[in-house]
Amino acid sequence: MRLRTLFSTAVLGAALAVPVTAPQAAAAPPGCDATDADIYAAPPAAVTGNPGDLLACRPAKLTNIPGDVPMKAWKVRYVSTDAKGQKNIVTGTVAVPDAAWTKGGSRPTVAFNPGTLGSGLQCAFSKQLAGQYVDMYEGGNLQLFLKAGFAVAATDGAGYLNGQVHTYMIGANAGHALLDIVRTSRRIPGGTLTADGKVGISGYSEGGAASLWGAQLASSYAPELNVVGAAAGGVPGDLKLTAKQLNGSFFAGFLADALVGLNAAYPEMPFTDLMNDKGRRAIEDVKSNCLFGTLAVFLGARVENFSKDGLSLERLYALKGPGGVTWSEIVDRQKLGVDIGTPSSGATYTIGFPVFQYRGWLEEIIPHETEDATRQAYCEAGINTTWKNTYPTEHLSTDWGAAGDVTNFLGDRFEGKPVQGNC
């Protein structure tokens, strides 16, 4: 019954998800006068600059954050780094509340990655926050951060520029984009955020995976950032386990997003040429739809039906690309909690700040096994981890049900309060 109810909500959302005219924003400060077209323009052949460099910005009115919180906000275009170590360009939103920060030190910033929005260019979080398209559900979460006095640096994630495809669930892309938008937020002309401000990382579902990737990469990729905590919920830590559960389910659209996102990040690997006519149409469906539309199109779909040879997930994983690398190896690179440790551990990914992980008791999309295993991996690595799995909610409603706890957890970290994990 829960699945049918959620899917009905999805179909209704798809019907309501229509473009609307973008609201007018306040006049830009000097040097922050890009057009909307400038923000989302296709990337140049070669991207120059350093990670976090601000390439363009424009003021924005965030009509999809409820409560009319007084703030200044901007859309931004900035330099980041992809999973192959190459520079790329990402877009996002920076919002700073007008109310003064009164809890000591400089105003802190929450680096935020939204949950799944879909891969169509119109689905970019920065466009949806500004009311240019309505098919998202996290405006209330950002409202809580802003009302608490935190600045928000919300990345769209890689792949929302013209001509691109979102690289859904690619860990390094997501983690780098999250950390880099914090750097960018401090370079906005007329902005007030400073380099010494504390940083918290937050996200749910796709955003939860991005949050933990940001946490794992922070010390090596952005050591100058004072990251003091990370919150991550509904985390698909093991994509293979998650894909197995999604295949043929009500929520197979998430698997479609992931497969097309993997292809976007690794176009040299075998994929498009394997597709039959149905598979080629499916790729275009992923590229054109947002969350609810994708769920509707792929209701109950099985991956075996989209390739010429009826390839299962296991057979897809076994396929090799240049140098003999397999899809299995690439998918395994996205697994969270691997080779992690404390700063003195010598691990590849070190985390020296507390982490809050959570899931709903009635979670029906992400396998409990992978969420629980990610938490266990963090605990076994000695990372200060707080875990909560007692929300009486399913996948989507856990995002809202936990929002107050997430805000309080990060607020306590910004104020320097100690926390004892419950591993």
Side-chain angles (χ1 to χ4, degrees):
M1 179 61 72
R2 281 197 318 276
L3 296 181
R4 289 196 295 272
T5 300
L6 184 57
F7 179 68
S8 297
T9 302
V11 174
L12 176 61
L16 296 175
V18 294
V20 295
T21 302
Q24 295 298 310
C32 197
D33 55 1
T35 66
D36 221 48
D38 294 332
I39 298 294
Y40 303 105
V47 178
T48 59
N50 297 314
D53 278 358
L54 175 66
L55 299 177
C57 59
R58 64 177 277 109
K61 185 174 181 180
L62 307 184
T63 57
N64 273 337
I65 295 180
D68 198 25
V69 181
M71 70 179 89
K72 292 180 177 64
W74 301 265
K75 289 184 177 184
V76 295
R77 175 183 172 102
Y78 62 97
V79 179
S80 191
T81 309
D82 69 16
K84 298 175 181 176
Q86 302 298 309
K87 293 176 182 176
N88 62 349
I89 296 176
V90 182
T91 52
T93 305
V94 174
V96 182
D98 288 346
W101 174 254
T102 60
K103 296 184 179 180
S106 299
R107 187 187 302 275
T109 300
V110 176
F112 184 81
N113 195 113
T116 301
L117 299 176
S119 297
L121 295 182
Q122 76 276 20
C123 315
F125 195 44
S126 57
K127 292 181 179 179
Q128 298 209 44
L129 286 172
Q132 292 169 259
Y133 195 86
V134 183
D135 190 19
M136 68 93 178
Y137 45 87
E138 296 203 277
N141 297 37
L142 300 194
Q143 179 197 32
L144 290 180
F145 294 149
L146 293 165
K147 287 180 68 176
F150 315 153
V152 173
T155 184
D156 292 339
Y160 284 106
L161 302 183
N162 292 340
Q164 293 186 331
V165 180
H166 179 42
T167 58
Y168 184 73
M169 297 308 303
I170 303 300
N173 285 10
H176 292 155
L178 260 179
L179 297 166
D180 284 327
I181 197 170
V182 177
R183 290 164 159 163
T184 303
S185 70
R186 296 163 175 181
R187 299 171 182 175
I188 295 173
T192 57
L193 300 179
T194 57
D196 61 338
K198 294 178 180 178
V199 178
I201 306 174
S202 180
Y204 183 78
S205 194
E206 176 192 351
S211 178
L212 291 187
W213 272 109
Q216 292 184 178
L217 290 164
S219 66
S220 59
Y221 183 73
E224 83 282 8
L225 297 182
N226 184 16
V227 181
V228 296
V235 178
D238 185 328
L239 296 189
K240 287 181 178 176
L241 275 177
T242 306
K244 183 177 180 181
Q245 177 159 310
L246 291 175
N247 196 27
S249 77
F250 280 94
F251 304 101
F254 295 121
L255 177 55
D257 277 341
L259 292 172
V260 174
L262 282 160
N263 178 55
Y266 297 92
E268 71 279 7
M269 294 292 291
F271 186 75
T272 305
D273 289 346
L274 306 173
M275 297 296 109
N276 56 24
D277 288 345
K278 187 175 181 180
R280 286 188 287 272
R281 287 195 301 272
I283 292 171
E284 295 308 310
D285 283 334
V286 167
K287 292 179 180 180
S288 62
N289 277 296
C290 293
L291 169 62
F292 295 126
T294 303
L295 290 177
V297 169
F298 291 97
L299 172 66
R302 295 196 63 84
V303 69
E304 293 87 345
N305 295 328
F306 295 96
S307 61
K308 299 172 187 176
D309 297 326
L311 297 173
S312 64
L313 285 167
E314 289 72 22
R315 291 173 65 194
L316 282 170
Y317 295 147
L319 296 175
K320 295 181 179 180
V325 65
T326 65
W327 271 123
S328 180
E329 293 172 82
I330 290 173
V331 173
D332 282 342
R333 291 174 195 170
Q334 319 314 318
K335 187 175 182 180
L336 284 157
V338 177
D339 201 6
I340 59 173
T342 59
S344 61
S345 66
T348 299
Y349 306 112
T350 61
I351 301 176
F353 46 80
V355 172
F356 173 41
Q357 294 188 44
Y358 56 97
R359 69 165 170 83
W361 184 252
L362 302 175
E363 169 69 65
E364 81 285 27
I365 298 178
I366 309 301
H368 291 197
E369 303 96 298
T370 185
E371 297 190 69
D372 296 353
T374 301
R375 184 269 305 180
Q376 187 61 34
Y378 271 63
C379 288
E380 291 176 355
I383 296 166
N384 184 342
T385 303
T386 299
W387 168 249
K388 186 171 180 178
N389 65 348
T390 55
Y391 297 101
T393 46
E394 45 68 65
H395 184 77
L396 182 59
S397 55
T398 301
D399 188 20
W400 307 318
D405 287 344
V406 169
T407 302
N408 292 335
F409 177 85
L410 294 178
D412 286 347
R413 305 293 75 74
F414 293 149
E415 294 184 47
K417 296 178 181 179
V419 60
Q420 182 66 47
N422 58 2
C423 285

